[in-house]
Structure formats: C-alpha cells, structure tokens
Amino acid sequence: MGQSLQKIENFDIKTFQEDLIGWYIREKRDLPWRKDQDPYKVWVSEIMLQQTRVETVIPYFNNFIKKFPNVEALANADEEEVLKAWEGLGYYSRARNLHSAVKEVAAKYGGKLPDDPKQLGKLKGIGPYTKGAILSIAYNKPEPAVDGNVMRVLSRILLIEEDIAKPKTRRIFEEAAANLISKERPSDFNQALMELGAMVCTPTSPSCLLCPVQEHCLAFSEGLQEKLPVKTRSKSTKQVSIACAVLVQNNDLYIHKRPDTGLLANLWEFPNCEVRTNRIPKRIYLENFLREEYGVEAELSELKGTIQHVFSHLTWNINVYFGKVCSDESMKELEKVFIKDIDRYAFPVPHQKIFALYKEKAGIQVEP
DNA sequence: AAGACGGGGCT
DNA sequence: AGCCCAGTCTT
C-alpha cells in the first residue's frame, strides 16, 4: 500500500467531495465544451486542452466544431483542412492523430465514440489522462483523469512529495484520485479538481484563503503549499541556425510541405535549411541548397531580418532573405502558389512571422 | 526513463 | 530566461 493511501484513511472523503463539487457548481466557468455532454465535443476539447490553456483553446474549439460538427464531418474532411483549423495551436500530431482516430471510430464503431476503456485507450492520441477525462465527463464513469492540475492539487491536499516529472509518479496520483472520486458524480468531481487547479490552487501563489477545500489540505496546514508539487527541472533548449528564403516570381510564391513525421509535420514553410558552418556566407549557402535540394536557381537579397522562435526543446534563429527565381525548370519538392491564396495553407508561427516580415519589407498587399 | 513535440503567458 | 499549461508518442 502506498503512502498516499495511508493518508486517505484519516481523510473525510465524503465532506471533501461535497465541498469541492459544491464550489464547482457555484463557480465553474461557462466554457463552450460544457454546453452539453456530446462525447465528440468532449473528445475534441480534451485533445485541444493537452498542454494548452483554456483561453487559447476557446476560439479554436468554436471554429473547429463549426467546421466539423460531428464525427462524420471530421472523418470526411481532408487533412489539409484539419491542419488549417489547427494552425497556430501547436503540437500538430494531435490534429493528425485525432483525424485518424475519428476515421477509425466512423469505420469501426459506426461513428459512436466507445465507452469501453480498452477500446478508447487504443485510439490514437488518447492516453491515460484523456481516456479518463472522456470516460468521466462524457460517460459519467468513475475513472481518474490525472493531468498536471490534478497532480498539483492532490500533491498539496494529500502532501505527496513524489517528483511529478517522473513518469511512474502518475500511478500514485491515479490511485489517490481513484480513491477520492465521487461515485455519484464522477464528471463534476474530475472537472472540479481541474477547475480548482486552474482557478485557485495555481502553480504559484495559490489562493488558499479562498479555497473551498482548505480545511482538507495537508500542505496548507503545514504551510507547504508553495513548496509543492516537487518537480525536477528540465534543461535548456538547443540553438539551431536557419537560413530561409521568400522566393517570388510575378505573383507566385514558392512554398514547401514538410515531411509527414517529426517537427511541424505536414505543415507548409518557406524554403529553408539549417546552417551548421560559418565558412560560407549564409546567403550563398542557401542559394546552393535551393539549387541542389529543390532545383531552383535563385538570386537572394541581402539579409532582410532575423526571426527567433522558441520551441519547448529547441530555438530557431532564422536569417531571412528575399529572392527572385531565375530558373525553376528542374524544380522539385516545391509548390508555386498565388500570393493571394497563401492563407489556404497551414503555416507554423515562425513561418507566419517570416511572411509578416516579407509583407512589411517588400510592401506587398495581399488581397483576400 | 528520457526526449520529441508548439505556442503563449506569467514571473 | 525559465516555468507552466485539462499529455502523448517514440525510442
């Protein structure tokens, strides 16, 4: 038996549930995915909310549901369209996995998201947290849904000092959550725990004086709420130097679709390459790359600007050049598109910044 | 177990 | 500049 269970033995679970759920019913935010219990909408919202703030997700969720109102609509959509709807939200494999899983649900389960944990957990993009969230919120089953909020809240309430950065620690919190969850109201209970983490039991300066379960909180009684949860820190990001070209010819732009795996998979970008050497000027290095890799002869401008973009695990430092294409007769891998059609393609934020720089410096107007 | 995988907001 | 966010997948 884990140490967390021993602590639960002298813990008034019933009163804790009542205090927490009562607060939630009074104070919960009016969020678009709380308007009904449609399993599809719960699913989409939970995928979008992975590692992403509520305020960021709201407009994406509304637009996505408008465009793809149900399993069938999303299953019949093109991936290009789905990625476009995800543009700027990040972690794009979520969109591709959701699309793939929705197609599977349409084909194998007649369009109905399974309520069986085994079947649910096999769908792409549905891990232990999302499985629990869907089972509890959409199907009202008493399954734990342990995310970052829940680990933080429970680490404080039960004074659990396990390192939440370690993968195996999640099991401890799942066991604790399984013991605390209301069997009568699992949906409200799980959402209340997460809502408390978002609104009251925040990472820094938690509002303990306003907390509806303060009297149940072991960390507060010891004055340790600011010390929890324990989390070992990650290391800093790697720097990557990139040279990028905005190539034009008349009213055409040259863009490239990234490969279907890895960083920013299947999104579009302006032709670019990593520069590992400083023996050759970057402009020349990029011209050679464009000729050898994409078969285009281009004459590049002087440096027009640099753009920095920080990812969670690396930083891009991008030198931006503009260029005129002299010859594209042996072009490969690139697409020529009308400048006015550019917004049909899904670009990651760094390349949105590059295009903004181009519009500013080249003074072009893009008519819708 | 550790790293890849986005982007934005707060300290 | 670092940390965090309604995590999952791959190696």
Side-chain angles (χ1 to χ4, degrees), chain A residues 262-273:
Chain A
L263 184 64
L264 306 170
N266 285 359
L267 271 71
W268 294 84
E269 65 184 0
F270 297 102
N272 69 89
C273 64

Side-chain angles (χ1 to χ4, degrees), chain A residues 279-297:
Chain A
R279 310 181 82 86
I280 310 173
K282 286 184 181 161
R283 183 176 65 82
I284 307 297
Y285 190 93
L286 180 55
E287 280 180 352
N288 291 339
F289 172 85
L290 293 172
R291 183 166 48 241
E292 286 159 23
E293 200 69 20
Y294 296 142
V296 298
E297 288 288 343

Side-chain angles (χ1 to χ4, degrees), chain A residues 244 268-270 272 316 347-356:
Chain A
C244 180
W268 294 84
E269 65 184 0
F270 297 102
N272 69 89
W316 277 355
F347 287 87
V349 169
H351 286 274
Q352 292 173 10
K353 293 179 188 167
I354 290 165
F355 190 58

Side-chain angles (χ1 to χ4, degrees), chain A residues 22 25 47 99 146 193 202 212 228 260 308 345:
Chain A
I25 296 303
I47 300 296
H99 192 210
V146 175
L193 221 41
T202 47
L228 293 170
D260 62 6
Q308 185 178 78
Y345 301 84

